[in-house]
Amino acid sequence: MQTFAHGAAMWDVECPRRPSRVSGVTMAGFRVRDLEALRIVPHPAVTLLLEFGDGSPVLDHAPGQQQRGSIVAGPGLGSGGAVRARGENVECVQVRLSPVIARAILGASPADLDGAVVSLGDLWGREASRIREQLGEVPSWQDRFALTDALLARRHAAGPPVDPEVAWAWHRIVGSRGLTRVDELAAEVGWSRKRLWSRFRTQLGLPPKRAVKLVRFDHAAHRLVAGEAAAHVAADTGYADQSHLHRDVMAFTGATPTTVAGEPFLAVDDLAWPSRGTTAMASPFPAQTRAPNTGKDERMKREEFHEPQHAAAGVLRHSRWSTLPRHGS
């Protein structure tokens, strides 16, 4: 394991040596002796926390409300700065799921979470207890990652995919780092605005406009952590000005850009998630496809959308939209 030290925070961190067999899944392992009031910063992925150690993480997520143990939460967990994590002797596998695959793996739409932090036991029943026991029994972190990945792959294969139009709209949003004009998405997929907004919200857990703001914020926040000046970040990530960035950061975190730049929750990403962004940006599409229902000849470039090399075909395996052979098939 590697040691992450940032101010008073000191955590042991482990990463899988192999990518997940399911596109849109990334994970990291954490061992923390003393976790004190860690601010959870919103991220455009569904969070799945699998704990198995002697201690237990505690999430304080609303006035007087707590959630202990393994949890699941939809995109944007921590919005408004209202969620803190704490605990002693915490050991866990944290999984980030692209909203495009989350419904299949969870067995419920992220929209059903309604922005809440939910006990995994309430969602998976006995399977949540079994995976906790198994993670505690295996001897190494790589074994834990393999065990977790096998479970997620099995659930993903058995679960329902989202509509290809919805997946494509998400892909456009994250591929542009939140700079997509949401009013154009419906026209691009050939749906009415009302239909796309309804399906997107129902299947992914947030409306397109919120998704755009969250993806843009996540990109800007990590650039602040990297030490870039707020004025430069604002100008380069689609904000009207520095005041606009300030308002967005305050709305998502309850803190100023200067404070967010020093948050351990973000600073650990380069160590825990070395391919940061691929979960949110993982595409269910082949490396090159046409925009749904448009008939345009424009091709999506893999590098433009940061698509992992092991892209899964779950959503488009039998889609009429696949115009070229899938890579890696």
Side-chain angles (χ1 to χ4, degrees), residues 63-95:
Q65 295 187 26
Q66 298 177 353
Q67 192 71 58
R68 295 177 178 271
S70 298
I71 61 95
V72 61
L77 170 66
S79 290
V83 180
R84 297 290 194 279
R86 56 187 173 85
E88 295 180 353
N89 300 317
V90 174
E91 290 185 283
C92 64
V93 174
Q94 182 183 340
V95 182

mmCIF file of all heavy atoms in Angstrom, residues 63-95:
data_model
loop_
_atom_site.group_PDB
_atom_site.id
_atom_site.type_symbol
_atom_site.label_atom_id
_atom_site.label_comp_id
_atom_site.label_asym_id
_atom_site.label_seq_id
_atom_site.Cartn_x
_atom_site.Cartn_y
_atom_site.Cartn_z
ATOM 1 N N PRO A 63 -28.829 16.896 9.359
ATOM 2 C CA PRO A 63 -28.895 17.232 10.788
ATOM 3 C C PRO A 63 -29.415 16.070 11.626
ATOM 4 O O PRO A 63 -30.553 15.635 11.477
ATOM 5 C CB PRO A 63 -29.860 18.419 10.815
ATOM 6 C CG PRO A 63 -29.714 19.057 9.475
ATOM 7 C CD PRO A 63 -29.501 17.915 8.525
ATOM 8 N N GLY A 64 -28.537 15.529 12.466
ATOM 9 C CA GLY A 64 -28.939 14.443 13.345
ATOM 10 C C GLY A 64 -29.020 13.079 12.692
ATOM 11 O O GLY A 64 -29.414 12.106 13.347
ATOM 12 N N GLN A 65 -28.615 12.946 11.423
ATOM 13 C CA GLN A 65 -28.708 11.666 10.729
ATOM 14 C C GLN A 65 -27.317 11.109 10.439
ATOM 15 O O GLN A 65 -26.416 11.839 10.031
ATOM 16 C CB GLN A 65 -29.492 11.813 9.424
ATOM 17 C CG GLN A 65 -30.948 12.197 9.615
ATOM 18 C CD GLN A 65 -31.715 12.171 8.322
ATOM 19 O OE1 GLN A 65 -31.355 11.448 7.387
ATOM 20 N NE2 GLN A 65 -32.786 12.945 8.240
ATOM 21 N N GLN A 66 -27.180 9.796 10.651
ATOM 22 C CA GLN A 66 -25.917 9.112 10.424
ATOM 23 C C GLN A 66 -26.160 7.819 9.664
ATOM 24 O O GLN A 66 -27.238 7.239 9.730
ATOM 25 C CB GLN A 66 -25.226 8.775 11.753
ATOM 26 C CG GLN A 66 -24.856 9.964 12.599
ATOM 27 C CD GLN A 66 -24.235 9.524 13.920
ATOM 28 O OE1 GLN A 66 -24.209 8.324 14.247
ATOM 29 N NE2 GLN A 66 -23.708 10.480 14.673
ATOM 30 N N GLN A 67 -25.141 7.392 8.949
ATOM 31 C CA GLN A 67 -25.182 6.089 8.277
ATOM 32 C C GLN A 67 -23.871 5.385 8.545
ATOM 33 O O GLN A 67 -22.795 5.949 8.299
ATOM 34 C CB GLN A 67 -25.392 6.259 6.776
ATOM 35 C CG GLN A 67 -25.735 4.969 6.067
ATOM 36 C CD GLN A 67 -27.121 4.483 6.412
ATOM 37 O OE1 GLN A 67 -28.106 5.169 6.208
ATOM 38 N NE2 GLN A 67 -27.210 3.279 6.961
ATOM 39 N N ARG A 68 -23.934 4.182 9.061
ATOM 40 C CA ARG A 68 -22.737 3.411 9.389
ATOM 41 C C ARG A 68 -22.582 2.238 8.440
ATOM 42 O O ARG A 68 -23.555 1.728 7.902
ATOM 43 C CB ARG A 68 -22.794 2.893 10.832
ATOM 44 C CG ARG A 68 -22.775 3.984 11.894
ATOM 45 C CD ARG A 68 -22.908 3.400 13.290
ATOM 46 N NE ARG A 68 -22.838 4.423 14.308
ATOM 47 C CZ ARG A 68 -21.716 4.846 14.884
ATOM 48 N NH1 ARG A 68 -20.554 4.276 14.539
ATOM 49 N NH2 ARG A 68 -21.731 5.798 15.785
ATOM 50 N N GLY A 69 -21.340 1.791 8.277
ATOM 51 C CA GLY A 69 -21.081 0.592 7.497
ATOM 52 C C GLY A 69 -21.075 0.846 6.003
ATOM 53 O O GLY A 69 -20.812 1.953 5.531
ATOM 54 N N SER A 70 -21.375 -0.199 5.242
ATOM 55 C CA SER A 70 -21.364 -0.118 3.788
ATOM 56 C C SER A 70 -22.556 0.698 3.304
ATOM 57 O O SER A 70 -23.685 0.505 3.764
ATOM 58 C CB SER A 70 -21.405 -1.520 3.178
ATOM 59 O OG SER A 70 -20.259 -2.262 3.544
ATOM 60 N N ILE A 71 -22.277 1.576 2.348
ATOM 61 C CA ILE A 71 -23.330 2.485 1.885
ATOM 62 C C ILE A 71 -23.279 2.617 0.369
ATOM 63 O O ILE A 71 -22.303 2.235 -0.291
ATOM 64 C CB ILE A 71 -23.215 3.881 2.536
ATOM 65 C CG1 ILE A 71 -21.858 4.554 2.189
ATOM 66 C CG2 ILE A 71 -23.389 3.800 4.029
ATOM 67 C CD1 ILE A 71 -21.906 5.494 0.995
ATOM 68 N N VAL A 72 -24.355 3.190 -0.179
ATOM 69 C CA VAL A 72 -24.401 3.582 -1.577
ATOM 70 C C VAL A 72 -25.050 4.953 -1.646
ATOM 71 O O VAL A 72 -25.945 5.275 -0.860
ATOM 72 C CB VAL A 72 -25.169 2.547 -2.424
ATOM 73 C CG1 VAL A 72 -26.607 2.413 -1.970
ATOM 74 C CG2 VAL A 72 -25.118 2.910 -3.907
ATOM 75 N N ALA A 73 -24.564 5.780 -2.568
ATOM 76 C CA ALA A 73 -25.109 7.126 -2.726
ATOM 77 C C ALA A 73 -25.013 7.519 -4.190
ATOM 78 O O ALA A 73 -24.087 7.117 -4.902
ATOM 79 C CB ALA A 73 -24.367 8.133 -1.855
ATOM 80 N N GLY A 74 -25.978 8.312 -4.641
ATOM 81 C CA GLY A 74 -26.036 8.715 -6.034
ATOM 82 C C GLY A 74 -25.031 9.790 -6.388
ATOM 83 O O GLY A 74 -24.270 10.268 -5.537
ATOM 84 N N PRO A 75 -24.995 10.201 -7.663
ATOM 85 C CA PRO A 75 -24.065 11.247 -8.103
ATOM 86 C C PRO A 75 -24.253 12.531 -7.298
ATOM 87 O O PRO A 75 -25.368 12.913 -6.961
ATOM 88 C CB PRO A 75 -24.454 11.471 -9.573
ATOM 89 C CG PRO A 75 -25.166 10.230 -9.982
ATOM 90 C CD PRO A 75 -25.857 9.735 -8.762
ATOM 91 N N GLY A 76 -23.139 13.170 -6.974
ATOM 92 C CA GLY A 76 -23.219 14.432 -6.249
ATOM 93 C C GLY A 76 -23.289 14.287 -4.747
ATOM 94 O O GLY A 76 -23.636 15.246 -4.047
ATOM 95 N N LEU A 77 -22.938 13.102 -4.215
ATOM 96 C CA LEU A 77 -22.904 12.926 -2.766
ATOM 97 C C LEU A 77 -22.077 14.033 -2.122
ATOM 98 O O LEU A 77 -20.946 14.286 -2.527
ATOM 99 C CB LEU A 77 -22.288 11.566 -2.416
ATOM 100 C CG LEU A 77 -21.964 11.311 -0.934
ATOM 101 C CD1 LEU A 77 -23.246 11.261 -0.112
ATOM 102 C CD2 LEU A 77 -21.163 10.026 -0.773
ATOM 103 N N GLY A 78 -22.624 14.700 -1.132
ATOM 104 C CA GLY A 78 -21.911 15.765 -0.434
ATOM 105 C C GLY A 78 -22.283 17.155 -0.896
ATOM 106 O O GLY A 78 -21.705 18.136 -0.413
ATOM 107 N N SER A 79 -23.232 17.278 -1.822
ATOM 108 C CA SER A 79 -23.607 18.605 -2.324
ATOM 109 C C SER A 79 -24.044 19.518 -1.188
ATOM 110 O O SER A 79 -24.783 19.105 -0.295
ATOM 111 C CB SER A 79 -24.739 18.478 -3.344
ATOM 112 O OG SER A 79 -24.276 17.881 -4.532
ATOM 113 N N GLY A 80 -23.560 20.746 -1.240
ATOM 114 C CA GLY A 80 -23.865 21.712 -0.200
ATOM 115 C C GLY A 80 -22.941 21.629 0.993
ATOM 116 O O GLY A 80 -23.083 22.394 1.951
ATOM 117 N N GLY A 81 -21.992 20.690 0.962
ATOM 118 C CA GLY A 81 -21.066 20.533 2.080
ATOM 119 C C GLY A 81 -21.681 19.892 3.303
ATOM 120 O O GLY A 81 -21.152 20.028 4.418
ATOM 121 N N ALA A 82 -22.782 19.147 3.088
ATOM 122 C CA ALA A 82 -23.531 18.641 4.230
ATOM 123 C C ALA A 82 -23.097 17.263 4.703
ATOM 124 O O ALA A 82 -23.631 16.754 5.686
ATOM 125 C CB ALA A 82 -25.025 18.594 3.873
ATOM 126 N N VAL A 83 -22.144 16.616 4.011
ATOM 127 C CA VAL A 83 -21.769 15.246 4.355
ATOM 128 C C VAL A 83 -20.328 15.214 4.857
ATOM 129 O O VAL A 83 -19.418 15.746 4.215
ATOM 130 C CB VAL A 83 -21.930 14.304 3.146
ATOM 131 C CG1 VAL A 83 -21.528 12.878 3.520
ATOM 132 C CG2 VAL A 83 -23.383 14.326 2.639
ATOM 133 N N ARG A 84 -20.150 14.586 6.013
ATOM 134 C CA ARG A 84 -18.820 14.379 6.582
ATOM 135 C C ARG A 84 -18.639 12.895 6.879
ATOM 136 O O ARG A 84 -19.586 12.204 7.276
ATOM 137 C CB ARG A 84 -18.636 15.162 7.882
ATOM 138 C CG ARG A 84 -18.711 16.671 7.729
ATOM 139 C CD ARG A 84 -17.489 17.225 6.990
ATOM 140 N NE ARG A 84 -17.387 18.680 7.115
ATOM 141 C CZ ARG A 84 -18.065 19.541 6.382
ATOM 142 N NH1 ARG A 84 -18.925 19.087 5.473
ATOM 143 N NH2 ARG A 84 -17.899 20.847 6.536
ATOM 144 N N ALA A 85 -17.418 12.412 6.701
ATOM 145 C CA ALA A 85 -17.082 11.026 7.016
ATOM 146 C C ALA A 85 -16.115 11.005 8.187
ATOM 147 O O ALA A 85 -15.221 11.850 8.292
ATOM 148 C CB ALA A 85 -16.463 10.335 5.813
ATOM 149 N N ARG A 86 -16.291 10.038 9.068
ATOM 150 C CA ARG A 86 -15.403 9.892 10.211
ATOM 151 C C ARG A 86 -15.361 8.430 10.625
ATOM 152 O O ARG A 86 -16.135 7.599 10.144
ATOM 153 C CB ARG A 86 -15.870 10.759 11.388
ATOM 154 C CG ARG A 86 -17.298 10.497 11.829
ATOM 155 C CD ARG A 86 -17.752 11.492 12.882
ATOM 156 N NE ARG A 86 -19.164 11.341 13.195
ATOM 157 C CZ ARG A 86 -19.660 10.474 14.077
ATOM 158 N NH1 ARG A 86 -18.810 9.689 14.755
ATOM 159 N NH2 ARG A 86 -20.949 10.408 14.311
ATOM 160 N N GLY A 87 -14.445 8.103 11.512
ATOM 161 C CA GLY A 87 -14.353 6.730 11.994
ATOM 162 C C GLY A 87 -12.949 6.401 12.452
ATOM 163 O O GLY A 87 -12.005 7.165 12.248
ATOM 164 N N GLU A 88 -12.809 5.234 13.055
ATOM 165 C CA GLU A 88 -11.515 4.735 13.515
ATOM 166 C C GLU A 88 -11.310 3.326 12.982
ATOM 167 O O GLU A 88 -12.251 2.542 12.893
ATOM 168 C CB GLU A 88 -11.440 4.730 15.044
ATOM 169 C CG GLU A 88 -11.503 6.121 15.669
ATOM 170 C CD GLU A 88 -11.420 6.061 17.192
ATOM 171 O OE1 GLU A 88 -11.452 4.944 17.738
ATOM 172 O OE2 GLU A 88 -11.307 7.130 17.814
ATOM 173 N N ASN A 89 -10.060 3.027 12.618
ATOM 174 C CA ASN A 89 -9.689 1.706 12.105
ATOM 175 C C ASN A 89 -10.600 1.278 10.954
ATOM 176 O O ASN A 89 -11.132 0.166 10.920
ATOM 177 C CB ASN A 89 -9.737 0.672 13.230
ATOM 178 C CG ASN A 89 -8.795 1.014 14.360
ATOM 179 O OD1 ASN A 89 -7.653 1.426 14.118
ATOM 180 N ND2 ASN A 89 -9.252 0.867 15.600
ATOM 181 N N VAL A 90 -10.754 2.177 10.008
ATOM 182 C CA VAL A 90 -11.620 1.929 8.860
ATOM 183 C C VAL A 90 -10.842 1.215 7.763
ATOM 184 O O VAL A 90 -9.746 1.627 7.384
ATOM 185 C CB VAL A 90 -12.188 3.252 8.310
ATOM 186 C CG1 VAL A 90 -12.966 3.012 7.022
ATOM 187 C CG2 VAL A 90 -13.063 3.921 9.354
ATOM 188 N N GLU A 91 -11.399 0.136 7.241
ATOM 189 C CA GLU A 91 -10.884 -0.547 6.065
ATOM 190 C C GLU A 91 -12.042 -0.726 5.095
ATOM 191 O O GLU A 91 -13.095 -1.242 5.463
ATOM 192 C CB GLU A 91 -10.283 -1.906 6.419
ATOM 193 C CG GLU A 91 -8.976 -1.826 7.199
ATOM 194 C CD GLU A 91 -8.363 -3.204 7.409
ATOM 195 O OE1 GLU A 91 -8.863 -3.929 8.275
ATOM 196 O OE2 GLU A 91 -7.409 -3.548 6.688
ATOM 197 N N CYS A 92 -11.826 -0.319 3.854
ATOM 198 C CA CYS A 92 -12.939 -0.391 2.911
ATOM 199 C C CYS A 92 -12.440 -0.403 1.481
ATOM 200 O O CYS A 92 -11.315 0.016 1.184
ATOM 201 C CB CYS A 92 -13.892 0.780 3.115
ATOM 202 S SG CYS A 92 -13.163 2.397 2.771
ATOM 203 N N VAL A 93 -13.291 -0.891 0.599
ATOM 204 C CA VAL A 93 -13.117 -0.752 -0.834
ATOM 205 C C VAL A 93 -14.138 0.278 -1.290
ATOM 206 O O VAL A 93 -15.340 0.098 -1.076
ATOM 207 C CB VAL A 93 -13.330 -2.080 -1.581
ATOM 208 C CG1 VAL A 93 -13.290 -1.852 -3.093
ATOM 209 C CG2 VAL A 93 -12.288 -3.106 -1.172
ATOM 210 N N GLN A 94 -13.658 1.358 -1.885
ATOM 211 C CA GLN A 94 -14.561 2.368 -2.428
ATOM 212 C C GLN A 94 -14.658 2.164 -3.930
ATOM 213 O O GLN A 94 -13.650 2.082 -4.626
ATOM 214 C CB GLN A 94 -14.073 3.783 -2.132
ATOM 215 C CG GLN A 94 -15.026 4.856 -2.660
ATOM 216 C CD GLN A 94 -14.524 6.261 -2.433
ATOM 217 O OE1 GLN A 94 -13.663 6.500 -1.589
ATOM 218 N NE2 GLN A 94 -15.054 7.201 -3.194
ATOM 219 N N VAL A 95 -15.890 2.073 -4.414
ATOM 220 C CA VAL A 95 -16.142 1.859 -5.838
ATOM 221 C C VAL A 95 -16.851 3.083 -6.403
ATOM 222 O O VAL A 95 -17.791 3.600 -5.794
ATOM 223 C CB VAL A 95 -17.014 0.608 -6.065
ATOM 224 C CG1 VAL A 95 -17.224 0.374 -7.557
ATOM 225 C CG2 VAL A 95 -16.394 -0.616 -5.405
#
